[in-house]
mmCIF file with all atom_site columns, all heavy atoms in Angstrom:
data_model
loop_
_atom_site.group_PDB
_atom_site.id
_atom_site.type_symbol
_atom_site.label_atom_id
_atom_site.label_alt_id
_atom_site.label_comp_id
_atom_site.label_asym_id
_atom_site.label_entity_id
_atom_site.label_seq_id
_atom_site.pdbx_PDB_ins_code
_atom_site.Cartn_x
_atom_site.Cartn_y
_atom_site.Cartn_z
_atom_site.occupancy
_atom_site.B_iso_or_equiv
_atom_site.pdbx_formal_charge
_atom_site.auth_seq_id
_atom_site.auth_comp_id
_atom_site.auth_asym_id
_atom_site.auth_atom_id
_atom_site.pdbx_PDB_model_num
ATOM   1  N N   . HIS A 1 134 ? 105.750 88.365 106.232 1.00 98.00 ? 259 HIS A N   1
ATOM   2  C CA  . HIS A 1 134 ? 106.521 87.150 106.525 1.00 98.00 ? 259 HIS A CA  1
ATOM   3  C C   . HIS A 1 134 ? 105.506 86.067 106.867 1.00 98.00 ? 259 HIS A C   1
ATOM   4  O O   . HIS A 1 134 ? 104.287 86.318 106.864 1.00 98.00 ? 259 HIS A O   1
ATOM   5  C CB  . HIS A 1 134 ? 107.595 87.366 107.583 1.00 98.00 ? 259 HIS A CB  1
ATOM   6  C CG  . HIS A 1 134 ? 107.152 87.858 108.926 1.00 98.00 ? 259 HIS A CG  1
ATOM   7  N ND1 . HIS A 1 134 ? 106.135 87.253 109.651 1.00 98.00 ? 259 HIS A ND1 1
ATOM   8  C CD2 . HIS A 1 134 ? 107.586 88.889 109.699 1.00 98.00 ? 259 HIS A CD2 1
ATOM   9  C CE1 . HIS A 1 134 ? 105.990 87.881 110.797 1.00 98.00 ? 259 HIS A CE1 1
ATOM   10 N NE2 . HIS A 1 134 ? 106.847 88.908 110.849 1.00 98.00 ? 259 HIS A NE2 1
ATOM   11 N N   . LYS A 1 176 ? 107.969 86.859 102.440 1.00 98.00 ? 301 LYS A N   1
ATOM   12 C CA  . LYS A 1 176 ? 109.390 86.931 102.808 1.00 98.00 ? 301 LYS A CA  1
ATOM   13 C C   . LYS A 1 176 ? 109.858 85.668 103.516 1.00 98.00 ? 301 LYS A C   1
ATOM   14 O O   . LYS A 1 176 ? 109.096 85.030 104.224 1.00 98.00 ? 301 LYS A O   1
ATOM   15 C CB  . LYS A 1 176 ? 109.634 88.136 103.730 1.00 98.00 ? 301 LYS A CB  1
ATOM   16 C CG  . LYS A 1 176 ? 109.380 89.478 103.076 1.00 98.00 ? 301 LYS A CG  1
ATOM   17 C CD  . LYS A 1 176 ? 109.624 90.643 104.020 1.00 98.00 ? 301 LYS A CD  1
ATOM   18 C CE  . LYS A 1 176 ? 108.550 90.795 105.043 1.00 98.00 ? 301 LYS A CE  1
ATOM   19 N NZ  . LYS A 1 176 ? 108.613 92.095 105.752 1.00 98.00 ? 301 LYS A NZ  1
ATOM   20 N N   . GLY A 1 177 ? 111.141 85.393 103.362 1.00 98.00 ? 302 GLY A N   1
ATOM   21 C CA  . GLY A 1 177 ? 111.762 84.271 104.061 1.00 98.00 ? 302 GLY A CA  1
ATOM   22 C C   . GLY A 1 177 ? 113.140 84.007 103.504 1.00 98.00 ? 302 GLY A C   1
ATOM   23 O O   . GLY A 1 177 ? 113.666 84.793 102.711 1.00 98.00 ? 302 GLY A O   1
ATOM   24 N N   . SER A 1 195 ? 120.394 86.192 100.908 1.00 98.00 ? 320 SER A N   1
ATOM   25 C CA  . SER A 1 195 ? 121.548 86.215 101.819 1.00 98.00 ? 320 SER A CA  1
ATOM   26 C C   . SER A 1 195 ? 121.100 85.960 103.256 1.00 98.00 ? 320 SER A C   1
ATOM   27 O O   . SER A 1 195 ? 120.204 86.640 103.760 1.00 98.00 ? 320 SER A O   1
ATOM   28 C CB  . SER A 1 195 ? 122.211 87.594 101.766 1.00 98.00 ? 320 SER A CB  1
ATOM   29 O OG  . SER A 1 195 ? 123.106 87.724 102.854 1.00 98.00 ? 320 SER A OG  1
ATOM   30 N N   . LEU A 1 198 ? 120.505 88.659 105.935 1.00 98.00 ? 323 LEU A N   1
ATOM   31 C CA  . LEU A 1 198 ? 119.239 89.408 106.094 1.00 98.00 ? 323 LEU A CA  1
ATOM   32 C C   . LEU A 1 198 ? 118.489 88.993 107.356 1.00 98.00 ? 323 LEU A C   1
ATOM   33 O O   . LEU A 1 198 ? 117.516 89.640 107.728 1.00 98.00 ? 323 LEU A O   1
ATOM   34 C CB  . LEU A 1 198 ? 118.338 89.202 104.869 1.00 98.00 ? 323 LEU A CB  1
ATOM   35 C CG  . LEU A 1 198 ? 118.799 89.899 103.599 1.00 98.00 ? 323 LEU A CG  1
ATOM   36 C CD1 . LEU A 1 198 ? 117.950 89.458 102.409 1.00 98.00 ? 323 LEU A CD1 1
ATOM   37 C CD2 . LEU A 1 198 ? 118.744 91.423 103.760 1.00 98.00 ? 323 LEU A CD2 1
ATOM   38 N N   . GLY A 1 202 ? 114.916 94.373 111.373 1.00 98.00 ? 327 GLY A N   1
ATOM   39 C CA  . GLY A 1 202 ? 114.746 95.579 110.575 1.00 98.00 ? 327 GLY A CA  1
ATOM   40 C C   . GLY A 1 202 ? 115.064 95.412 109.096 1.00 98.00 ? 327 GLY A C   1
ATOM   41 O O   . GLY A 1 202 ? 114.818 96.342 108.307 1.00 98.00 ? 327 GLY A O   1
ATOM   42 N N   . SER A 1 203 ? 115.548 94.247 108.697 1.00 98.00 ? 328 SER A N   1
ATOM   43 C CA  . SER A 1 203 ? 115.868 94.100 107.269 1.00 98.00 ? 328 SER A CA  1
ATOM   44 C C   . SER A 1 203 ? 114.592 94.102 106.418 1.00 98.00 ? 328 SER A C   1
ATOM   45 O O   . SER A 1 203 ? 114.614 94.546 105.266 1.00 98.00 ? 328 SER A O   1
ATOM   46 C CB  . SER A 1 203 ? 116.710 92.862 106.997 1.00 98.00 ? 328 SER A CB  1
ATOM   47 O OG  . SER A 1 203 ? 115.991 91.709 107.312 1.00 98.00 ? 328 SER A OG  1
ATOM   48 N N   . GLY A 1 204 ? 113.472 93.675 106.991 1.00 98.00 ? 329 GLY A N   1
ATOM   49 C CA  . GLY A 1 204 ? 112.201 93.761 106.263 1.00 98.00 ? 329 GLY A CA  1
ATOM   50 C C   . GLY A 1 204 ? 111.754 95.210 106.085 1.00 98.00 ? 329 GLY A C   1
ATOM   51 O O   . GLY A 1 204 ? 111.150 95.566 105.070 1.00 98.00 ? 329 GLY A O   1
HETATM 52 N N1  . ADP B 2 .   ? 117.617 83.112 107.022 1.00 84.61 ? 665 ADP B N1  1
HETATM 53 C C1  . ADP B 2 .   ? 117.357 84.009 106.081 1.00 84.61 ? 665 ADP B C1  1
HETATM 54 N N2  . ADP B 2 .   ? 117.949 83.933 104.891 1.00 84.61 ? 665 ADP B N2  1
HETATM 55 C C2  . ADP B 2 .   ? 117.720 84.832 103.936 1.00 84.61 ? 665 ADP B C2  1
HETATM 56 N N3  . ADP B 2 .   ? 116.885 85.888 104.084 1.00 84.61 ? 665 ADP B N3  1
HETATM 57 C C3  . ADP B 2 .   ? 116.252 86.014 105.240 1.00 84.61 ? 665 ADP B C3  1
HETATM 58 C C4  . ADP B 2 .   ? 116.459 85.108 106.310 1.00 84.61 ? 665 ADP B C4  1
HETATM 59 N N4  . ADP B 2 .   ? 115.695 85.517 107.346 1.00 84.61 ? 665 ADP B N4  1
HETATM 60 C C5  . ADP B 2 .   ? 115.056 86.630 106.956 1.00 84.61 ? 665 ADP B C5  1
HETATM 61 N N5  . ADP B 2 .   ? 115.390 86.940 105.698 1.00 84.61 ? 665 ADP B N5  1
HETATM 62 C C6  . ADP B 2 .   ? 114.915 88.093 104.937 1.00 84.61 ? 665 ADP B C6  1
HETATM 63 O O1  . ADP B 2 .   ? 115.052 89.225 105.809 1.00 84.61 ? 665 ADP B O1  1
HETATM 64 C C7  . ADP B 2 .   ? 113.886 90.027 105.779 1.00 84.61 ? 665 ADP B C7  1
HETATM 65 C C8  . ADP B 2 .   ? 113.243 89.984 107.155 1.00 84.61 ? 665 ADP B C8  1
HETATM 66 O O2  . ADP B 2 .   ? 112.069 90.722 107.140 1.00 84.61 ? 665 ADP B O2  1
HETATM 67 P P1  . ADP B 2 .   ? 111.049 90.646 108.361 1.00 84.61 ? 665 ADP B P1  1
HETATM 68 O O3  . ADP B 2 .   ? 110.700 89.236 108.662 1.00 84.61 ? 665 ADP B O3  1
HETATM 69 O O4  . ADP B 2 .   ? 109.964 91.578 108.033 1.00 84.61 ? 665 ADP B O4  1
HETATM 70 O O5  . ADP B 2 .   ? 111.944 91.166 109.572 1.00 84.61 ? 665 ADP B O5  1
HETATM 71 P P2  . ADP B 2 .   ? 111.925 92.537 110.360 1.00 84.61 ? 665 ADP B P2  1
HETATM 72 O O6  . ADP B 2 .   ? 110.501 92.695 110.833 1.00 84.61 ? 665 ADP B O6  1
HETATM 73 O O7  . ADP B 2 .   ? 112.884 92.357 111.471 1.00 84.61 ? 665 ADP B O7  1
HETATM 74 O O8  . ADP B 2 .   ? 112.307 93.632 109.415 1.00 84.61 ? 665 ADP B O8  1
HETATM 75 C C9  . ADP B 2 .   ? 113.033 89.501 104.661 1.00 84.61 ? 665 ADP B C9  1
HETATM 76 O O9  . ADP B 2 .   ? 113.335 90.173 103.469 1.00 84.61 ? 665 ADP B O9  1
HETATM 77 C C10 . ADP B 2 .   ? 113.450 88.025 104.559 1.00 84.61 ? 665 ADP B C10 1
HETATM 78 O O10 . ADP B 2 .   ? 113.258 87.515 103.263 1.00 84.61 ? 665 ADP B O10 1
#
Side-chain angles (χ1 to χ4, degrees):
H259 59 51
K301 295 180 287 194
S320 166
L323 288 172
S328 64

